[in-house]
Amino acid sequence: QQTLPDWQFAAEAAMLHFKATHVLTIRSGALLAPPDLPGWRYAPLGGAQLMRSMARARTIASQEAGHAETMETIDAEARTKGVTLAGWPLGAELYTQLADAKTPDADGLVDISQGDVGGGGLWLRAEPDEDPEQADALAAIIAIGLLGQ
């Protein structure tokens, strides 16, 4: 029953409640950044790319389980009935909104590419992991940005 506008409203409500002065979004979190709040977008990703990568993971799992699905059949079914991707049940409305969502313009936000941080994206690893050097690089980019304001 959740929708992308509900998530965006919740992000804005949290911003107001906590009196946030800046925001850092990671990947598709860029879709939720409150308008007019300055900050950074780390490796921003639109909704279509997010849904594609989650559907791709499902096709691989389906194939390994012996009942192959295609990206097209997953998308068609998800838009009408909803779908579970990466363990997350998504209603048809939320799936469609995410799949059609474009990364918003970066008004007031600075994009940070993976190359700026160094190394490979942690989200591409088979197992959850951490990288202190990447964390330090990201923190330095943000600290420099804050000092420059």
Side-chain angles (χ1 to χ4, degrees), residues 5-35:
D6 289 343
W7 287 3
Q8 291 164 330
F9 176 81
E12 193 153 351
M15 173 199 71
L16 294 171
H17 176 79
F18 292 107
K19 299 177 176 75
T21 60
H22 294 79
V23 65
L24 168 65
T25 67
I26 300 174
R27 307 283 290 153
S28 55
L31 300 172
L32 306 179

Side-chain angles (χ1 to χ4, degrees), residues 3-145:
T3 67
L4 182 55
D6 289 343
W7 287 3
Q8 291 164 330
F9 176 81
E12 193 153 351
M15 173 199 71
L16 294 171
H17 176 79
F18 292 107
K19 299 177 176 75
T21 60
H22 294 79
V23 65
L24 168 65
T25 67
I26 300 174
R27 307 283 290 153
S28 55
L31 300 172
L32 306 179
D36 303 322
L37 188 62
W40 301 266
R41 301 189 311 181
Y42 173 38
L45 184 71
Q49 296 93 335
L50 171 65
M51 293 295 98
R52 247 193 328 272
S53 65
M54 291 176 76
R56 187 175 305 117
R58 179 172 164 152
T59 62
I60 293 167
S62 301
Q63 198 170 36
E64 290 176 358
H67 61 285
E69 296 177 289
T70 67
M71 303 275 282
E72 294 76 19
T73 58
I74 292 170
D75 182 68
E77 183 174 325
R79 288 177 182 272
T80 58
K81 298 178 185 173
V83 67
T84 298
L85 295 175
W88 297 99
L90 304 172
E93 184 176 14
L94 178 59
Y95 174 88
T96 300
Q97 290 167 342
L98 286 170
D100 295 343
K102 307 282 188 257
T103 306
D105 291 335
D107 297 335
L109 298 172
V110 175
D111 285 347
I112 302 170
S113 72
Q114 184 59 44
D116 296 335
V117 173
L122 295 177
W123 54 88
L124 298 174
R125 296 186 181 175
E127 296 293 328
D129 202 1
E130 60 185 57
D131 187 322
E133 291 83 19
Q134 286 187 22
D136 288 346
L138 185 58
I141 291 167
I142 293 168
I144 291 167

